[in-house]
Amino acid sequence: MTATIERGAATAPVPAPKSTPTRKRSGGFLRSSNGKKVVMAVTGAVMVLFLVAHMVGNLKIFLGKDSFNEYAHALRTLFEPLLPYRTALTILEIVLVVSVLAHMWAAISLARRAGQARPVKYVAKKSQANGYATHIMRFGGLTIALFVVWHLLDLTFGVVNPKGFDSAPADRMVAGFDPSRWWVTLIYVVAVVMVGLHLRHGIWSAVQTLGWANRTRYKALKGTAALVSVVLVIGFLAPPLAITFGVVK
C-alpha cells in the first residue's frame, strides 16, 4: 500500500517589502546638473548682450564728448515719459545683477558637484587644454567680478574717479584713463583680456549645453565664439588705450 504525501507549495509566498516614502527633492530641474548648465547658458547670453551694447556705447567717445554724453543721457531717460527718469536703466541693471548672481551660483554648484563625484583625484593628469580652460573660468570669473566693482566705483559712481560723480560721463571716462593713471588702463587691459578668454570658453560651453554643437556646425560655432570674444576685447580696449595715448582728449 502506497502512502500519498501532499506537498505544499514549492516556495512560500514572499511578502512584498514595505516601500518607504521617497522624499521629493525641491528645486526639480534646477537641482540637476543639466538645469544648472542651462542657467549658466541663459545668464551668460544676457551678459553677452549687455557687453555688446556697452561696447557700442563706449565707442561713441570717438564721435566726441557730446555724442558720448547724449548716449549716457539716453540710457537714463529710456522710455520717458512712460517711465520715470532712470527706471528702465535700473530694471536692466537689476536683471544684469540677478544674471551675474545666478551665473555664479550655477558655476559654484557645478564645481562642488564635480568635486563630490571625484573625491579622489585622477592618477592621470588632465590635458593641458582642459586645465587651462578650468583655470580661466574659475580665476578669470573672480578677476572679472573684482574688476566690475572697481569699474562701477570709477566710471559709474565716480568714487575713485578724479572728476567725481557730478561730472559729465565723458569727462569721467577721459579722466579715468588719463596717461597719469596708466596703471588703471593696465588693470583694464588685463581684466578685458580675461573677459575675452572667459567668453570664448563660456560661449562654446553654452552652445554645447543647448545641443547646437553637432558635427556640421562644430567648426563654425567654435570660430564664432572666438570671433565674438576678439571683437569685444578690441571694442572695449580701443577707448581707454586711445585716451591713454592721447588720441582722445
Side-chain angles (χ1 to χ4, degrees):
M1 188 173 178
T2 308
T4 305
I5 301 173
E6 290 185 3
R7 297 189 178 183
T11 55
V14 180
K18 291 182 180 179
S19 59
T20 54
T22 55
R23 289 184 181 179
K24 235 181 182 180
R25 288 186 178 182
S26 60
F29 181 67
L30 291 179
R31 286 181 62 92
S32 67
S33 294
N34 287 337
K36 290 178 172 63
K37 288 177 181 178
V38 169
V39 169
M40 286 194 72
V42 173
T43 54
V46 171
M47 289 187 282
V48 170
L49 290 174
F50 165 77
L51 287 172
V52 171
H54 191 27
M55 178 195 71
V56 172
N58 283 356
L59 291 173
K60 286 185 175 291
I61 196 69
F62 289 105
L63 300 177
K65 287 186 176 182
D66 289 340
S67 179
F68 188 84
N69 288 333
E70 286 171 6
Y71 150 73
H73 180 71
L75 285 178
R76 287 157 177 76
T77 56
L78 200 61
F79 298 128
E80 272 193 5
L82 196 63
L83 293 175
Y85 179 79
R86 214 187 184 284
T87 301
L89 181 58
T90 301
I91 293 171
L92 291 174
E93 288 170 343
I94 291 171
V95 170
L96 181 63
V97 169
V98 170
S99 297
V100 171
L101 293 176
H103 195 81
M104 292 174 66
W105 165 79
I108 293 168
S109 299
L110 285 170
R112 284 180 177 173
R113 181 166 292 184
Q116 290 169 358
R118 294 193 303 269
V120 180
K121 291 184 179 179
Y122 290 126
V123 176
K125 289 184 178 180
K126 289 183 179 180
S127 68
Q128 288 184 353
N130 286 339
Y132 166 79
T134 302
H135 280 80
I136 287 299
M137 296 306 284
R138 287 182 183 175
F139 298 108
L142 179 61
T143 303
I144 293 165
L146 293 174
F147 168 72
V148 167
V149 173
W150 167 268
H151 189 58
L152 290 172
L153 292 174
D154 187 15
L155 298 182
T156 302
F157 302 112
V159 176
V160 295
N161 189 279
K163 291 290 184 179
F165 177 75
D166 293 331
S167 60
D171 292 334
R172 281 203 301 273
M173 188 170 187
V174 172
F177 297 109
D178 187 82
S180 62
R181 284 165 50 101
W182 59 268
W183 52 275
V184 174
T185 304
L186 181 61
I187 292 172
Y188 192 89
V189 169
V190 172
V192 169
V193 170
M194 293 298 287
V195 169
L197 294 172
H198 194 91
L199 272 176
R200 182 176 176 274
H201 184 75
I203 293 172
W204 177 239
S205 296
V207 166
Q208 289 178 308
T209 299
L210 297 173
W212 298 343
N214 56 30
R215 290 183 180 179
T216 56
R217 301 174 184 169
Y218 182 87
K219 288 184 178 179
L221 289 172
K222 202 158 190 178
T224 301
L227 180 63
V228 170
S229 304
V230 169
V231 169
L232 283 170
V233 168
I234 294 173
F236 271 106
L237 289 184
L241 290 176
I243 294 168
T244 301
F245 289 103
V247 177
V248 174
K249 297 181 181 179

